[in-house]
Amino acid sequence: MDVVKYRKHFAAVFVIALTTIFVYPVFSNSYSAYSNDERQIRNVIMLVPDGCSLGVQTTARWYRGGPLYLDTIQKGSVSTWAADSVITDSASAATAFATGHKTDDKFISVGPKATPVLTGFTPTAEPYVPLATVLEGAKLEGKATGLVATSTVSHATPACFGAHTPYRDQETEIAKQLVYQDIDVVFGGGFQNLIGKTETYTTSFGATWTGVRDDGQNLYQALLDRGYQFVDSESGLLALSSGKAWGLFATSFMHADINRQYFGATQPSLAEMTSKAIELLSQDKDGFFLLVEGSQVDWGDHYSDPVWAVTDFLAFDRAVGVAIDFAQKDGKTLVMAFPDHNTGGLTIGSNYQATNKIGHVYTSTTIEDVVNPLKCMKINAAGLTILLTGITDSNVIKAIFKEWWGLDITDGDIAAMKTGSTISNFIKVGDYISKTYTVFGYTTAGHAGDDVPLWAYGPMHNTPTGHFDNTDLAGIVAEALDFELADVGSRLYVKVSDVFKASEWELDLTDSKNPVLEINHGGKAATLPASKDLLTLVSTGGSTTYALEGIVVYCPVINEVYLPMEAVEMIG
Ligand SMILES: [Zn+2]
């Protein structure tokens, strides 16, 4: 049933894409919009397959045996370089398309270090300063906002839309900022970052999840107190019909799409999360901004595991189909999709054609050579090594490879993949099997610095076409939704030392994990906890706490605190 629907849908999209090509010039990298009295875009859906390339798209098309949703909206290419490297990481990449500024490796929407690394590049942002994001801008416009990912929701890509820190690995801090950003819909993995190390949560399906926080904060309770619905399963997700919601379906990452039916039966697909996010967010009459990340294409590409990358990319493509379907019906939605960077440098063709077991060279490569090894894999390499745990008997190992990957492996293969007496290292398995039994090549276990494809769909004048820098993409969203990112920055991130005298403020670090900004000005005393959107004004009659339109950000490296202009005005 699904497949039939998919094809019908594709035909409809293709007609529209053709119309666009014939009527408007294609090869321009300008993005000019519309007259202000005829605003055509109310919503933006940005979708990112992390660590992906044209090689993955091509392979996925062969694997699927037909065109992808993404093929119908192919529009251009994107440069991905970062402030401190020609090869970016996910944090610096997402900072670029969330804020319009290039930054350094591992930085989450804060300015790069003071010393530029790349010849001729001058940073456009001050070091470590929080940079306003398109999600924050959309929020100030009164729009609903959402984040969807299959990693933890505090992982680099989604983090860059709602958090500010130079340390992407501090996911507990990032989670705190996301909770207090008042994002309407957050779906993905990472429950462990909400509760303390000694706390547990029992899921609706009877699992016990333990927290990792060591700061005494219970963000799960904070979400409930702030009026969020919380769901932890596919059925819980599907039952949501309106309102604000967090859905965390795994305590850490969600399962790879190909493994979901075996290990994660309670977890929704990326398309289901995207569909529900759109259903909830589109109830806001002011419109919405949604970021969707297919987080694990990157992991398949890091670990030379083509079936992981391709099946997660196809899951991403189905989410794109959901977004296009909504945009077609709505008529006021811009859909933009692009990888944050290439990972792995996947090619169809490898340096191992003389030694692999395909048996012929590239000039006689068949579709079956490309597709069959992947089609026989019912699970990814990481999943396979779980099934191989503790098994030393070669015959049992061979049987598992036969059943789950359709491969007749030899004793030599087993010896090459073993670590000690068992096969336990899935990276070794992916690398060896790719070289030995597939036509695929990988040039790196890390990221690669080449351009990535741009896919887009929207009202005809408003679809970006051509080559863009990743920083341009944030500007396209801001222009489409009618705000200036610089204005959002001056409204949300005022440096405390610029507006209050040194004698009027201090950062209370008594509880070092929960710093509090204290301001005494004109007879008023105020406290503002870092990473939250709360302002408490203390007077002789007691104290009152207000919710602000943005969060307070403490930057330890430069020992500065940033707060919303709204708070400055309330303090006077
Ligand atoms: Zn990435």
Side-chain angles (χ1 to χ4, degrees):
M1 264 313 187
D2 259 337
V3 175
V4 176
K5 217 170 145 191
Y6 194 108
R7 291 202 168 133
K8 264 190 187 159
H9 182 96
F10 162 70
V13 176
F14 191 57
V15 169
I16 287 177
L18 269 182
T19 312
T20 311
I21 288 165
F22 288 135
V23 177
Y24 296 100
V26 183
F27 299 105
S28 109
N29 62 354
S30 65
Y31 175 72
S32 69
Y34 27 60
S35 59
N36 281 334
D37 55 354
E38 202 185 340
R39 182 151 295 280
Q40 296 189 24
I41 296 176
R42 182 174 50 199
N43 315 307
V44 173
I45 306 173
M46 189 183 259
L47 304 104
V48 178
D50 203 295
C52 183
S53 63
L54 275 173
V56 175
Q57 186 179 359
T58 312
T59 308
R61 193 182 306 116
W62 283 120
Y63 180 95
R64 193 177 166 273
L68 311 171
Y69 286 113
L70 286 163
D71 293 337
T72 70
I73 60 168
Q74 196 101 21
K75 286 292 183 295
S77 52
V78 181
S79 300
T80 64
W81 56 276
D84 65 342
S85 174
V86 166
I87 303 173
T88 190
D89 92 315
S90 294
S92 44
T95 296
F97 51 76
T99 75
H101 297 280
K102 290 202 187 276
T103 193
D104 293 344
D105 183 61
K106 297 187 176 51
F107 282 30
I108 301 290
S109 290
V110 295
K113 293 182 290 288
T115 320
V117 173
L118 296 192
T119 308
F121 171 68
T122 307
T124 54
E126 297 289 317
Y128 299 99
V129 167
L131 303 169
T133 75
V134 290
L135 181 145
E136 291 168 335
K139 221 174 56 166
L140 293 188
E141 294 293 309
K143 293 179 187 293
T145 56
L147 297 176
V148 172
T150 53
S151 57
T152 55
V153 295
S154 40
H155 212 245
T157 307
C160 283
F161 288 80
H164 305 273
T165 168
Y167 313 108
R168 64 172 279 182
D169 293 337
Q170 289 186 352
E171 290 198 43
T172 51
E173 182 59 26
I174 291 167
K176 193 202 277 188
Q177 296 189 23
L178 295 181
V179 164
Y180 285 91
Q181 276 277 24
D182 269 336
I183 301 166
D184 297 271
V185 168
V186 177
F187 295 148
F191 185 86
Q192 64 186 8
N193 296 313
L194 295 192
I195 60 172
K197 278 178 184 173
T198 57
E199 294 171 313
T200 57
Y201 165 82
T202 304
T203 68
S204 62
F205 45 94
T208 302
W209 290 345
T210 307
V212 297
R213 303 193 69 83
D214 61 358
D215 61 358
Q217 303 276 332
N218 185 324
L219 300 179
Y220 169 65
Q221 190 57 48
L223 285 172
L224 300 182
D225 293 345
R226 292 168 78 88
Y228 282 94
Q229 304 163 87
F230 183 84
V231 295
D232 57 20
S233 68
E234 180 187 38
S235 55
L237 174 86
L238 297 178
L240 294 169
S241 59
S242 62
K244 293 164 59 157
W246 273 57
L248 298 181
F249 309 101
T251 192
S252 178
F253 309 134
M254 293 178 70
H255 283 289
D257 192 72
I258 192 171
N259 293 359
R260 207 154 43 86
Q261 61 178 306
Y262 306 109
F263 300 127
T266 60
Q267 298 183 1
S269 68
L270 186 63
E272 284 177 316
M273 292 193 287
T274 303
S275 176
K276 185 56 72 175
I278 292 172
E279 180 190 333
L280 299 182
L281 296 172
S282 62
Q283 293 172 31
D284 189 316
K285 62 177 175 24
D286 300 308
F288 67 88
F289 171 81
L290 172 65
L291 179 274
V292 176
E293 185 195 31
S295 317
Q296 301 189 19
V297 182
D298 179 67
W299 301 345
D301 282 336
H302 269 296
Y303 304 132
S304 310
D305 188 340
V307 82
W308 188 356
V310 163
T311 51
D312 256 86
F313 183 75
L314 286 169
F316 175 81
D317 189 58
R318 288 189 285 274
V320 170
V322 167
I324 296 173
D325 192 39
F326 173 81
Q328 278 184 309
K329 289 179 188 142
D330 174 71
K332 285 180 175 287
T333 300
L334 175 63
V335 176
M336 286 169 67
F338 48 87
D340 55 345
H341 51 78
N342 183 346
T343 296
L346 172 77
T347 50
I348 300 174
S350 85
N351 276 330
Y352 297 93
Q353 59 170 316
T355 53
N356 77 16
K357 301 187 181 183
I358 300 285
H360 47 255
V361 297
Y362 68 89
T363 47
S364 53
T365 300
T366 65
I367 295 168
E368 289 71 25
D369 290 337
V370 176
V371 163
N372 284 1
L374 303 184
K375 289 273 185 183
C376 290
M377 294 172 173
K378 299 174 190 162
I379 199 166
N380 70 6
L384 191 72
T385 55
I386 292 172
L387 303 178
L388 291 164
T389 303
I391 297 173
T392 53
D393 183 327
S394 292
N395 288 326
V396 180
I397 292 173
K398 286 178 186 172
I400 289 173
F401 268 87
K402 181 70 178 171
E403 182 188 347
W404 289 88
W405 275 18
L407 287 175
D408 292 304
I409 60 166
T410 64
D411 290 332
D413 294 333
I414 294 175
M417 289 186 283
K418 264 187 177 171
T419 306
S421 61
T422 62
I423 296 178
S424 57
N425 183 336
F426 69 89
I427 302 172
K428 218 171 179 177
V429 172
D431 183 57
Y432 179 79
I433 295 294
S434 289
K435 285 174 181 166
T436 313
Y437 286 98
T438 80
V439 299
F440 302 112
Y442 287 92
T443 55
T444 172
H447 297 177
D450 41 323
D451 295 350
V452 291
L454 171 69
W455 306 284
Y457 172 81
M460 286 196 291
H461 288 290
N462 305 107
T463 309
T465 303
H467 180 76
F468 294 90
D469 187 70
N470 56 2
T471 53
D472 296 333
L473 304 174
I476 289 172
V477 176
E479 188 183 350
L481 298 183
D482 198 22
F483 58 81
E484 294 280 345
L485 278 160
D487 296 343
V488 177
S490 5
R491 185 161 151 191
L492 289 183
Y493 297 109
V494 179
K495 195 195 278 188
V496 68
S497 61
D498 282 349
V499 286
F500 294 107
K501 292 182 204 134
S503 59
E504 292 179 316
W505 70 273
E506 69 172 345
L507 191 72
D508 182 353
L509 286 162
T510 314
D511 176 357
S512 64
K513 298 206 161 67
N514 295 292
V516 178
L517 174 63
E518 297 180 343
I519 299 172
N520 278 282
H521 173 82
K524 279 189 189 166
T527 60
L528 301 101
S531 299
K532 295 186 180 179
D533 62 346
L534 302 175
L535 162 71
T536 301
L537 283 177
V538 187
S539 67
T540 45
S543 65
T544 312
T545 299
Y546 302 90
L548 300 167
E549 62 183 14
I551 57 170
V552 172
V553 173
Y554 167 46
C555 305
V557 185
I558 49 174
N559 200 29
E560 279 290 354
V561 187
Y562 295 80
L563 72 171
M565 181 55 85
E566 185 190 23
V568 177
E569 286 164 359
M570 286 170 77
I571 297 164

